[in-house]
Amino acid sequence: MNTVTTRSLRSARPGHGHTVADAMEPCDYQIADDSTVDRANDVIRSVPVDYLLVRDHDGRCEGLVTRAGLRPFLTRSWYTERTAISSTTHQHGPFARPTMDLALAAITMRIKHLTVWPVVDDDGYTLGVLTSDRATVLLAATPV
């Protein structure tokens, strides 16, 4: 796994404004893509969080599943016991990169209607997440 520090990513584009690395937050909650909807729901309810990052069998980021995205499956109890997260409709890549311009990332998130966007390294491993709220706050604080 690539172990790039946030500090080195922040200096990747000196003088060019904020990057995604400046605004990304850690994401401690992940689930394997072969886990069931029932398991994902248990994790989301117990933590509580609104989303989980989904990782593939190699540990790379595969997507993001939300509480709202699980709701249709939870109405049918036998679905939750047998349906793998990989079989659900959930957010897939492409994902944000840490060196991506933050203003561009915020525009992309607005266009795609994303409130959370996984941030991955060049090998596809999760570094954190970018939330639309955090991007908006950081961009609003930036002098023009």
Side-chain angles (χ1 to χ4, degrees), residues 34-72:
D34 59 352
S35 297
T36 63
V37 169
D38 192 40
R39 175 71 181 130
N41 187 51
D42 287 346
V43 173
I44 284 177
R45 284 192 357 228
S46 68
V47 175
V49 293
D50 290 326
Y51 61 86
L52 294 172
L53 290 176
V54 180
R55 65 178 184 282
D56 67 13
H57 64 279
D58 291 327
R60 289 181 174 84
C61 186
E62 198 271 330
L64 183 128
V65 66
T66 63
R67 181 184 302 259
L70 294 177
R71 202 167 289 130

PDB file of all heavy atoms in Angstrom, residues 34-72:
ATOM      1  N   ASP A  34     -17.753  -8.184  -0.551  1.00  0.00           N
ATOM      2  CA  ASP A  34     -18.518  -9.430  -0.485  1.00  0.00           C
ATOM      3  C   ASP A  34     -19.332  -9.550   0.813  1.00  0.00           C
ATOM      4  O   ASP A  34     -20.006 -10.550   1.039  1.00  0.00           O
ATOM      5  CB  ASP A  34     -17.613 -10.644  -0.669  1.00  0.00           C
ATOM      6  CG  ASP A  34     -16.512 -10.743   0.372  1.00  0.00           C
ATOM      7  OD1 ASP A  34     -16.340  -9.791   1.167  1.00  0.00           O
ATOM      8  OD2 ASP A  34     -15.801 -11.767   0.375  1.00  0.00           O
ATOM      9  N   SER A  35     -19.280  -8.515   1.659  1.00  0.00           N
ATOM     10  CA  SER A  35     -20.117  -8.484   2.852  1.00  0.00           C
ATOM     11  C   SER A  35     -21.573  -8.287   2.441  1.00  0.00           C
ATOM     12  O   SER A  35     -21.860  -7.727   1.386  1.00  0.00           O
ATOM     13  CB  SER A  35     -19.714  -7.331   3.773  1.00  0.00           C
ATOM     14  OG  SER A  35     -18.404  -7.509   4.242  1.00  0.00           O
ATOM     15  N   THR A  36     -22.480  -8.709   3.297  1.00  0.00           N
ATOM     16  CA  THR A  36     -23.901  -8.602   2.970  1.00  0.00           C
ATOM     17  C   THR A  36     -24.456  -7.224   3.331  1.00  0.00           C
ATOM     18  O   THR A  36     -23.869  -6.492   4.142  1.00  0.00           O
ATOM     19  CB  THR A  36     -24.724  -9.663   3.722  1.00  0.00           C
ATOM     20  OG1 THR A  36     -24.614  -9.416   5.124  1.00  0.00           O
ATOM     21  CG2 THR A  36     -24.264 -11.070   3.369  1.00  0.00           C
ATOM     22  N   VAL A  37     -25.588  -6.919   2.734  1.00  0.00           N
ATOM     23  CA  VAL A  37     -26.297  -5.682   3.042  1.00  0.00           C
ATOM     24  C   VAL A  37     -26.642  -5.651   4.532  1.00  0.00           C
ATOM     25  O   VAL A  37     -26.543  -4.612   5.189  1.00  0.00           O
ATOM     26  CB  VAL A  37     -27.570  -5.552   2.175  1.00  0.00           C
ATOM     27  CG1 VAL A  37     -28.458  -4.427   2.666  1.00  0.00           C
ATOM     28  CG2 VAL A  37     -27.190  -5.343   0.716  1.00  0.00           C
ATOM     29  N   ASP A  38     -27.025  -6.796   5.071  1.00  0.00           N
ATOM     30  CA  ASP A  38     -27.362  -6.896   6.488  1.00  0.00           C
ATOM     31  C   ASP A  38     -26.172  -6.489   7.356  1.00  0.00           C
ATOM     32  O   ASP A  38     -26.323  -5.740   8.324  1.00  0.00           O
ATOM     33  CB  ASP A  38     -27.803  -8.328   6.807  1.00  0.00           C
ATOM     34  CG  ASP A  38     -28.440  -8.460   8.163  1.00  0.00           C
ATOM     35  OD1 ASP A  38     -29.216  -7.563   8.540  1.00  0.00           O
ATOM     36  OD2 ASP A  38     -28.162  -9.467   8.843  1.00  0.00           O
ATOM     37  N   ARG A  39     -24.985  -6.958   7.007  1.00  0.00           N
ATOM     38  CA  ARG A  39     -23.776  -6.618   7.762  1.00  0.00           C
ATOM     39  C   ARG A  39     -23.479  -5.122   7.650  1.00  0.00           C
ATOM     40  O   ARG A  39     -23.150  -4.472   8.637  1.00  0.00           O
ATOM     41  CB  ARG A  39     -22.590  -7.438   7.244  1.00  0.00           C
ATOM     42  CG  ARG A  39     -21.283  -7.073   7.869  1.00  0.00           C
ATOM     43  CD  ARG A  39     -21.216  -7.522   9.324  1.00  0.00           C
ATOM     44  NE  ARG A  39     -19.935  -7.126   9.881  1.00  0.00           N
ATOM     45  CZ  ARG A  39     -19.802  -6.480  11.016  1.00  0.00           C
ATOM     46  NH1 ARG A  39     -20.841  -6.205  11.759  1.00  0.00           N
ATOM     47  NH2 ARG A  39     -18.610  -6.142  11.444  1.00  0.00           N
ATOM     48  N   ALA A  40     -23.593  -4.573   6.461  1.00  0.00           N
ATOM     49  CA  ALA A  40     -23.357  -3.136   6.253  1.00  0.00           C
ATOM     50  C   ALA A  40     -24.340  -2.311   7.075  1.00  0.00           C
ATOM     51  O   ALA A  40     -23.965  -1.314   7.700  1.00  0.00           O
ATOM     52  CB  ALA A  40     -23.469  -2.785   4.775  1.00  0.00           C
ATOM     53  N   ASN A  41     -25.588  -2.723   7.089  1.00  0.00           N
ATOM     54  CA  ASN A  41     -26.601  -2.018   7.862  1.00  0.00           C
ATOM     55  C   ASN A  41     -26.270  -2.073   9.356  1.00  0.00           C
ATOM     56  O   ASN A  41     -26.425  -1.077  10.070  1.00  0.00           O
ATOM     57  CB  ASN A  41     -27.978  -2.606   7.592  1.00  0.00           C
ATOM     58  CG  ASN A  41     -29.071  -1.808   8.244  1.00  0.00           C
ATOM     59  OD1 ASN A  41     -29.134  -0.588   8.093  1.00  0.00           O
ATOM     60  ND2 ASN A  41     -29.931  -2.479   8.982  1.00  0.00           N
ATOM     61  N   ASP A  42     -25.820  -3.226   9.834  1.00  0.00           N
ATOM     62  CA  ASP A  42     -25.432  -3.356  11.240  1.00  0.00           C
ATOM     63  C   ASP A  42     -24.304  -2.379  11.596  1.00  0.00           C
ATOM     64  O   ASP A  42     -24.339  -1.734  12.642  1.00  0.00           O
ATOM     65  CB  ASP A  42     -24.977  -4.779  11.554  1.00  0.00           C
ATOM     66  CG  ASP A  42     -26.121  -5.776  11.602  1.00  0.00           C
ATOM     67  OD1 ASP A  42     -27.299  -5.345  11.662  1.00  0.00           O
ATOM     68  OD2 ASP A  42     -25.828  -6.993  11.560  1.00  0.00           O
ATOM     69  N   VAL A  43     -23.308  -2.274  10.719  1.00  0.00           N
ATOM     70  CA  VAL A  43     -22.183  -1.379  10.971  1.00  0.00           C
ATOM     71  C   VAL A  43     -22.649   0.073  10.960  1.00  0.00           C
ATOM     72  O   VAL A  43     -22.315   0.850  11.862  1.00  0.00           O
ATOM     73  CB  VAL A  43     -21.044  -1.588   9.944  1.00  0.00           C
ATOM     74  CG1 VAL A  43     -19.957  -0.535  10.099  1.00  0.00           C
ATOM     75  CG2 VAL A  43     -20.469  -2.983  10.073  1.00  0.00           C
ATOM     76  N   ILE A  44     -23.434   0.437   9.966  1.00  0.00           N
ATOM     77  CA  ILE A  44     -23.912   1.819   9.851  1.00  0.00           C
ATOM     78  C   ILE A  44     -24.748   2.208  11.071  1.00  0.00           C
ATOM     79  O   ILE A  44     -24.627   3.321  11.583  1.00  0.00           O
ATOM     80  CB  ILE A  44     -24.707   2.010   8.542  1.00  0.00           C
ATOM     81  CG1 ILE A  44     -23.728   2.088   7.365  1.00  0.00           C
ATOM     82  CG2 ILE A  44     -25.578   3.253   8.593  1.00  0.00           C
ATOM     83  CD1 ILE A  44     -24.379   2.204   6.010  1.00  0.00           C
ATOM     84  N   ARG A  45     -25.573   1.304  11.537  1.00  0.00           N
ATOM     85  CA  ARG A  45     -26.423   1.605  12.696  1.00  0.00           C
ATOM     86  C   ARG A  45     -25.620   1.645  13.989  1.00  0.00           C
ATOM     87  O   ARG A  45     -25.915   2.432  14.882  1.00  0.00           O
ATOM     88  CB  ARG A  45     -27.544   0.585  12.811  1.00  0.00           C
ATOM     89  CG  ARG A  45     -28.626   0.820  11.794  1.00  0.00           C
ATOM     90  CD  ARG A  45     -29.893   0.033  12.033  1.00  0.00           C
ATOM     91  NE  ARG A  45     -29.867  -0.884  13.149  1.00  0.00           N
ATOM     92  CZ  ARG A  45     -30.260  -2.147  13.097  1.00  0.00           C
ATOM     93  NH1 ARG A  45     -30.710  -2.649  11.984  1.00  0.00           N
ATOM     94  NH2 ARG A  45     -30.215  -2.917  14.169  1.00  0.00           N
ATOM     95  N   SER A  46     -24.618   0.802  14.127  1.00  0.00           N
ATOM     96  CA  SER A  46     -23.888   0.723  15.387  1.00  0.00           C
ATOM     97  C   SER A  46     -22.859   1.834  15.564  1.00  0.00           C
ATOM     98  O   SER A  46     -22.531   2.194  16.687  1.00  0.00           O
ATOM     99  CB  SER A  46     -23.213  -0.633  15.531  1.00  0.00           C
ATOM    100  OG  SER A  46     -22.186  -0.781  14.594  1.00  0.00           O
ATOM    101  N   VAL A  47     -22.350   2.405  14.487  1.00  0.00           N
ATOM    102  CA  VAL A  47     -21.253   3.361  14.622  1.00  0.00           C
ATOM    103  C   VAL A  47     -21.704   4.726  15.164  1.00  0.00           C
ATOM    104  O   VAL A  47     -21.049   5.176  16.098  1.00  0.00           O
ATOM    105  CB  VAL A  47     -20.479   3.465  13.304  1.00  0.00           C
ATOM    106  CG1 VAL A  47     -19.416   4.527  13.394  1.00  0.00           C
ATOM    107  CG2 VAL A  47     -19.853   2.129  12.959  1.00  0.00           C
ATOM    108  N   PRO A  48     -22.669   5.447  14.842  1.00  0.00           N
ATOM    109  CA  PRO A  48     -23.442   5.542  13.608  1.00  0.00           C
ATOM    110  C   PRO A  48     -22.762   6.460  12.595  1.00  0.00           C
ATOM    111  O   PRO A  48     -22.200   7.477  12.954  1.00  0.00           O
ATOM    112  CB  PRO A  48     -24.748   6.165  14.072  1.00  0.00           C
ATOM    113  CG  PRO A  48     -24.345   7.048  15.208  1.00  0.00           C
ATOM    114  CD  PRO A  48     -23.168   6.356  15.867  1.00  0.00           C
ATOM    115  N   VAL A  49     -22.822   6.051  11.342  1.00  0.00           N
ATOM    116  CA  VAL A  49     -22.310   6.838  10.217  1.00  0.00           C
ATOM    117  C   VAL A  49     -23.340   6.793   9.098  1.00  0.00           C
ATOM    118  O   VAL A  49     -24.251   5.973   9.131  1.00  0.00           O
ATOM    119  CB  VAL A  49     -20.950   6.303   9.697  1.00  0.00           C
ATOM    120  CG1 VAL A  49     -19.859   6.495  10.720  1.00  0.00           C
ATOM    121  CG2 VAL A  49     -21.052   4.851   9.296  1.00  0.00           C
ATOM    122  N   ASP A  50     -23.187   7.669   8.131  1.00  0.00           N
ATOM    123  CA  ASP A  50     -24.115   7.688   6.997  1.00  0.00           C
ATOM    124  C   ASP A  50     -23.582   6.936   5.791  1.00  0.00           C
ATOM    125  O   ASP A  50     -24.295   6.743   4.819  1.00  0.00           O
ATOM    126  CB  ASP A  50     -24.434   9.128   6.589  1.00  0.00           C
ATOM    127  CG  ASP A  50     -25.299   9.830   7.629  1.00  0.00           C
ATOM    128  OD1 ASP A  50     -26.134   9.144   8.247  1.00  0.00           O
ATOM    129  OD2 ASP A  50     -25.138  11.046   7.817  1.00  0.00           O
ATOM    130  N   TYR A  51     -22.304   6.529   5.829  1.00  0.00           N
ATOM    131  CA  TYR A  51     -21.710   5.839   4.686  1.00  0.00           C
ATOM    132  C   TYR A  51     -20.582   4.930   5.137  1.00  0.00           C
ATOM    133  O   TYR A  51     -20.020   5.100   6.220  1.00  0.00           O
ATOM    134  CB  TYR A  51     -21.182   6.848   3.663  1.00  0.00           C
ATOM    135  CG  TYR A  51     -20.115   7.747   4.230  1.00  0.00           C
ATOM    136  CD1 TYR A  51     -18.773   7.363   4.233  1.00  0.00           C
ATOM    137  CD2 TYR A  51     -20.438   8.984   4.783  1.00  0.00           C
ATOM    138  CE1 TYR A  51     -17.798   8.181   4.758  1.00  0.00           C
ATOM    139  CE2 TYR A  51     -19.466   9.810   5.314  1.00  0.00           C
ATOM    140  CZ  TYR A  51     -18.155   9.396   5.306  1.00  0.00           C
ATOM    141  OH  TYR A  51     -17.176  10.199   5.833  1.00  0.00           O
ATOM    142  N   LEU A  52     -20.269   3.966   4.283  1.00  0.00           N
ATOM    143  CA  LEU A  52     -19.124   3.073   4.474  1.00  0.00           C
ATOM    144  C   LEU A  52     -18.360   3.014   3.163  1.00  0.00           C
ATOM    145  O   LEU A  52     -18.969   2.935   2.087  1.00  0.00           O
ATOM    146  CB  LEU A  52     -19.576   1.653   4.805  1.00  0.00           C
ATOM    147  CG  LEU A  52     -20.298   1.404   6.114  1.00  0.00           C
ATOM    148  CD1 LEU A  52     -20.828  -0.022   6.145  1.00  0.00           C
ATOM    149  CD2 LEU A  52     -19.372   1.659   7.279  1.00  0.00           C
ATOM    150  N   LEU A  53     -17.049   3.035   3.230  1.00  0.00           N
ATOM    151  CA  LEU A  53     -16.257   2.790   2.037  1.00  0.00           C
ATOM    152  C   LEU A  53     -16.266   1.295   1.772  1.00  0.00           C
ATOM    153  O   LEU A  53     -16.235   0.488   2.696  1.00  0.00           O
ATOM    154  CB  LEU A  53     -14.826   3.274   2.227  1.00  0.00           C
ATOM    155  CG  LEU A  53     -14.655   4.785   2.273  1.00  0.00           C
ATOM    156  CD1 LEU A  53     -13.212   5.151   2.555  1.00  0.00           C
ATOM    157  CD2 LEU A  53     -15.104   5.413   0.983  1.00  0.00           C
ATOM    158  N   VAL A  54     -16.340   0.939   0.502  1.00  0.00           N
ATOM    159  CA  VAL A  54     -16.359  -0.464   0.100  1.00  0.00           C
ATOM    160  C   VAL A  54     -15.003  -0.777  -0.514  1.00  0.00           C
ATOM    161  O   VAL A  54     -14.529  -0.053  -1.382  1.00  0.00           O
ATOM    162  CB  VAL A  54     -17.487  -0.729  -0.925  1.00  0.00           C
ATOM    163  CG1 VAL A  54     -17.498  -2.181  -1.339  1.00  0.00           C
ATOM    164  CG2 VAL A  54     -18.837  -0.308  -0.355  1.00  0.00           C
ATOM    165  N   ARG A  55     -14.372  -1.855  -0.027  1.00  0.00           N
ATOM    166  CA  ARG A  55     -13.070  -2.242  -0.571  1.00  0.00           C
ATOM    167  C   ARG A  55     -13.179  -3.613  -1.233  1.00  0.00           C
ATOM    168  O   ARG A  55     -13.981  -4.446  -0.830  1.00  0.00           O
ATOM    169  CB  ARG A  55     -12.000  -2.220   0.513  1.00  0.00           C
ATOM    170  CG  ARG A  55     -12.208  -3.232   1.583  1.00  0.00           C
ATOM    171  CD  ARG A  55     -11.089  -3.199   2.627  1.00  0.00           C
ATOM    172  NE  ARG A  55     -11.286  -4.250   3.569  1.00  0.00           N
ATOM    173  CZ  ARG A  55     -12.152  -4.247   4.581  1.00  0.00           C
ATOM    174  NH1 ARG A  55     -12.902  -3.197   4.774  1.00  0.00           N
ATOM    175  NH2 ARG A  55     -12.266  -5.276   5.381  1.00  0.00           N
ATOM    176  N   ASP A  56     -12.359  -3.820  -2.252  1.00  0.00           N
ATOM    177  CA  ASP A  56     -12.373  -5.104  -2.956  1.00  0.00           C
ATOM    178  C   ASP A  56     -11.489  -6.113  -2.223  1.00  0.00           C
ATOM    179  O   ASP A  56     -10.935  -5.816  -1.164  1.00  0.00           O
ATOM    180  CB  ASP A  56     -11.974  -4.935  -4.424  1.00  0.00           C
ATOM    181  CG  ASP A  56     -10.520  -4.505  -4.622  1.00  0.00           C
ATOM    182  OD1 ASP A  56      -9.713  -4.555  -3.654  1.00  0.00           O
ATOM    183  OD2 ASP A  56     -10.173  -4.120  -5.743  1.00  0.00           O
ATOM    184  N   HIS A  57     -11.333  -7.293  -2.805  1.00  0.00           N
ATOM    185  CA  HIS A  57     -10.571  -8.362  -2.150  1.00  0.00           C
ATOM    186  C   HIS A  57      -9.084  -8.038  -1.981  1.00  0.00           C
ATOM    187  O   HIS A  57      -8.394  -8.656  -1.188  1.00  0.00           O
ATOM    188  CB  HIS A  57     -10.760  -9.689  -2.896  1.00  0.00           C
ATOM    189  CG  HIS A  57     -10.228  -9.672  -4.296  1.00  0.00           C
ATOM    190  ND1 HIS A  57     -10.937  -9.134  -5.345  1.00  0.00           N
ATOM    191  CD2 HIS A  57      -9.068 -10.105  -4.805  1.00  0.00           C
ATOM    192  CE1 HIS A  57     -10.232  -9.240  -6.451  1.00  0.00           C
ATOM    193  NE2 HIS A  57      -9.093  -9.833  -6.154  1.00  0.00           N
ATOM    194  N   ASP A  58      -8.588  -7.043  -2.733  1.00  0.00           N
ATOM    195  CA  ASP A  58      -7.196  -6.616  -2.600  1.00  0.00           C
ATOM    196  C   ASP A  58      -7.029  -5.447  -1.631  1.00  0.00           C
ATOM    197  O   ASP A  58      -5.906  -4.985  -1.418  1.00  0.00           O
ATOM    198  CB  ASP A  58      -6.633  -6.196  -3.960  1.00  0.00           C
ATOM    199  CG  ASP A  58      -6.469  -7.375  -4.902  1.00  0.00           C
ATOM    200  OD1 ASP A  58      -6.169  -8.484  -4.413  1.00  0.00           O
ATOM    201  OD2 ASP A  58      -6.654  -7.183  -6.119  1.00  0.00           O
ATOM    202  N   GLY A  59      -8.136  -4.938  -1.100  1.00  0.00           N
ATOM    203  CA  GLY A  59      -8.083  -3.815  -0.176  1.00  0.00           C
ATOM    204  C   GLY A  59      -8.177  -2.458  -0.839  1.00  0.00           C
ATOM    205  O   GLY A  59      -8.096  -1.431  -0.180  1.00  0.00           O
ATOM    206  N   ARG A  60      -8.358  -2.444  -2.162  1.00  0.00           N
ATOM    207  CA  ARG A  60      -8.485  -1.173  -2.880  1.00  0.00           C
ATOM    208  C   ARG A  60      -9.915  -0.649  -2.766  1.00  0.00           C
ATOM    209  O   ARG A  60     -10.858  -1.408  -2.598  1.00  0.00           O
ATOM    210  CB  ARG A  60      -8.121  -1.355  -4.345  1.00  0.00           C
ATOM    211  CG  ARG A  60      -6.649  -1.593  -4.558  1.00  0.00           C
ATOM    212  CD  ARG A  60      -6.318  -1.744  -6.044  1.00  0.00           C
ATOM    213  NE  ARG A  60      -4.908  -1.837  -6.259  1.00  0.00           N
ATOM    214  CZ  ARG A  60      -4.214  -2.972  -6.167  1.00  0.00           C
ATOM    215  NH1 ARG A  60      -4.821  -4.098  -5.853  1.00  0.00           N
ATOM    216  NH2 ARG A  60      -2.918  -2.983  -6.376  1.00  0.00           N
ATOM    217  N   CYS A  61     -10.052   0.656  -2.886  1.00  0.00           N
ATOM    218  CA  CYS A  61     -11.372   1.279  -2.805  1.00  0.00           C
ATOM    219  C   CYS A  61     -12.203   0.857  -4.002  1.00  0.00           C
ATOM    220  O   CYS A  61     -11.788   0.984  -5.155  1.00  0.00           O
ATOM    221  CB  CYS A  61     -11.230   2.795  -2.771  1.00  0.00           C
ATOM    222  SG  CYS A  61     -12.800   3.638  -2.500  1.00  0.00           S
ATOM    223  N   GLU A  62     -13.383   0.348  -3.732  1.00  0.00           N
ATOM    224  CA  GLU A  62     -14.296  -0.119  -4.770  1.00  0.00           C
ATOM    225  C   GLU A  62     -15.486   0.826  -4.908  1.00  0.00           C
ATOM    226  O   GLU A  62     -16.163   0.848  -5.908  1.00  0.00           O
ATOM    227  CB  GLU A  62     -14.756  -1.537  -4.404  1.00  0.00           C
ATOM    228  CG  GLU A  62     -15.344  -2.323  -5.538  1.00  0.00           C
ATOM    229  CD  GLU A  62     -16.844  -2.116  -5.668  1.00  0.00           C
ATOM    230  OE1 GLU A  62     -17.534  -1.859  -4.679  1.00  0.00           O
ATOM    231  OE2 GLU A  62     -17.321  -2.198  -6.795  1.00  0.00           O
ATOM    232  N   GLY A  63     -15.743   1.600  -3.854  1.00  0.00           N
ATOM    233  CA  GLY A  63     -16.871   2.515  -3.900  1.00  0.00           C
ATOM    234  C   GLY A  63     -17.287   2.971  -2.523  1.00  0.00           C
ATOM    235  O   GLY A  63     -16.529   2.888  -1.561  1.00  0.00           O
ATOM    236  N   LEU A  64     -18.521   3.420  -2.435  1.00  0.00           N
ATOM    237  CA  LEU A  64     -19.059   3.949  -1.204  1.00  0.00           C
ATOM    238  C   LEU A  64     -20.537   3.591  -1.146  1.00  0.00           C
ATOM    239  O   LEU A  64     -21.256   3.762  -2.129  1.00  0.00           O
ATOM    240  CB  LEU A  64     -18.872   5.468  -1.198  1.00  0.00           C
ATOM    241  CG  LEU A  64     -19.312   6.206   0.033  1.00  0.00           C
ATOM    242  CD1 LEU A  64     -18.156   7.076   0.518  1.00  0.00           C
ATOM    243  CD2 LEU A  64     -20.486   7.089  -0.277  1.00  0.00           C
ATOM    244  N   VAL A  65     -20.977   3.059  -0.027  1.00  0.00           N
ATOM    245  CA  VAL A  65     -22.384   2.723   0.155  1.00  0.00           C
ATOM    246  C   VAL A  65     -22.942   3.614   1.258  1.00  0.00           C
ATOM    247  O   VAL A  65     -22.277   3.870   2.255  1.00  0.00           O
ATOM    248  CB  VAL A  65     -22.577   1.215   0.469  1.00  0.00           C
ATOM    249  CG1 VAL A  65     -21.976   0.822   1.797  1.00  0.00           C
ATOM    250  CG2 VAL A  65     -24.029   0.823   0.406  1.00  0.00           C
ATOM    251  N   THR A  66     -24.154   4.118   1.033  1.00  0.00           N
ATOM    252  CA  THR A  66     -24.775   5.013   1.999  1.00  0.00           C
ATOM    253  C   THR A  66     -25.961   4.345   2.680  1.00  0.00           C
ATOM    254  O   THR A  66     -26.506   3.358   2.193  1.00  0.00           O
ATOM    255  CB  THR A  66     -25.292   6.292   1.305  1.00  0.00           C
ATOM    256  OG1 THR A  66     -26.300   5.931   0.362  1.00  0.00           O
ATOM    257  CG2 THR A  66     -24.163   7.044   0.615  1.00  0.00           C
ATOM    258  N   ARG A  67     -26.352   4.933   3.791  1.00  0.00           N
ATOM    259  CA  ARG A  67     -27.538   4.468   4.510  1.00  0.00           C
ATOM    260  C   ARG A  67     -28.756   4.518   3.576  1.00  0.00           C
ATOM    261  O   ARG A  67     -29.531   3.573   3.516  1.00  0.00           O
ATOM    262  CB  ARG A  67     -27.753   5.354   5.725  1.00  0.00           C
ATOM    263  CG  ARG A  67     -28.922   4.989   6.591  1.00  0.00           C
ATOM    264  CD  ARG A  67     -29.098   6.006   7.704  1.00  0.00           C
ATOM    265  NE  ARG A  67     -27.928   6.143   8.530  1.00  0.00           N
ATOM    266  CZ  ARG A  67     -27.782   5.588   9.724  1.00  0.00           C
ATOM    267  NH1 ARG A  67     -28.747   4.856  10.218  1.00  0.00           N
ATOM    268  NH2 ARG A  67     -26.683   5.763  10.424  1.00  0.00           N
ATOM    269  N   ALA A  68     -28.888   5.605   2.831  1.00  0.00           N
ATOM    270  CA  ALA A  68     -30.016   5.745   1.910  1.00  0.00           C
ATOM    271  C   ALA A  68     -29.962   4.701   0.796  1.00  0.00           C
ATOM    272  O   ALA A  68     -30.994   4.199   0.356  1.00  0.00           O
ATOM    273  CB  ALA A  68     -30.038   7.152   1.315  1.00  0.00           C
ATOM    274  N   GLY A  69     -28.770   4.348   0.345  1.00  0.00           N
ATOM    275  CA  GLY A  69     -28.618   3.353  -0.708  1.00  0.00           C
ATOM    276  C   GLY A  69     -28.991   1.951  -0.263  1.00  0.00           C
ATOM    277  O   GLY A  69     -29.363   1.109  -1.076  1.00  0.00           O
ATOM    278  N   LEU A  70     -28.894   1.698   1.031  1.00  0.00           N
ATOM    279  CA  LEU A  70     -29.255   0.378   1.566  1.00  0.00           C
ATOM    280  C   LEU A  70     -30.754   0.248   1.829  1.00  0.00           C
ATOM    281  O   LEU A  70     -31.282  -0.855   1.890  1.00  0.00           O
ATOM    282  CB  LEU A  70     -28.502   0.112   2.871  1.00  0.00           C
ATOM    283  CG  LEU A  70     -26.995  -0.023   2.774  1.00  0.00           C
ATOM    284  CD1 LEU A  70     -26.408  -0.201   4.169  1.00  0.00           C
ATOM    285  CD2 LEU A  70     -26.615  -1.182   1.880  1.00  0.00           C
ATOM    286  N   ARG A  71     -31.435   1.357   1.978  1.00  0.00           N
ATOM    287  CA  ARG A  71     -32.844   1.356   2.366  1.00  0.00           C
ATOM    288  C   ARG A  71     -33.730   0.441   1.519  1.00  0.00           C
ATOM    289  O   ARG A  71     -34.521  -0.325   2.079  1.00  0.00           O
ATOM    290  CB  ARG A  71     -33.378   2.785   2.374  1.00  0.00           C
ATOM    291  CG  ARG A  71     -34.605   2.950   3.224  1.00  0.00           C
ATOM    292  CD  ARG A  71     -34.956   4.402   3.479  1.00  0.00           C
ATOM    293  NE  ARG A  71     -33.981   5.003   4.389  1.00  0.00           N
ATOM    294  CZ  ARG A  71     -33.357   6.155   4.160  1.00  0.00           C
ATOM    295  NH1 ARG A  71     -33.602   6.838   3.068  1.00  0.00           N
ATOM    296  NH2 ARG A  71     -32.495   6.633   5.019  1.00  0.00           N
ATOM    297  N   PRO A  72     -33.627   0.443   0.183  1.00  0.00           N
ATOM    298  CA  PRO A  72     -34.501  -0.443  -0.611  1.00  0.00           C
ATOM    299  C   PRO A  72     -34.304  -1.930  -0.307  1.00  0.00           C
ATOM    300  O   PRO A  72     -35.245  -2.706  -0.392  1.00  0.00           O
ATOM    301  CB  PRO A  72     -34.106  -0.153  -2.061  1.00  0.00           C
ATOM    302  CG  PRO A  72     -33.442   1.171  -2.032  1.00  0.00           C
ATOM    303  CD  PRO A  72     -32.821   1.296  -0.672  1.00  0.00           C
TER     304      PRO A  72
END
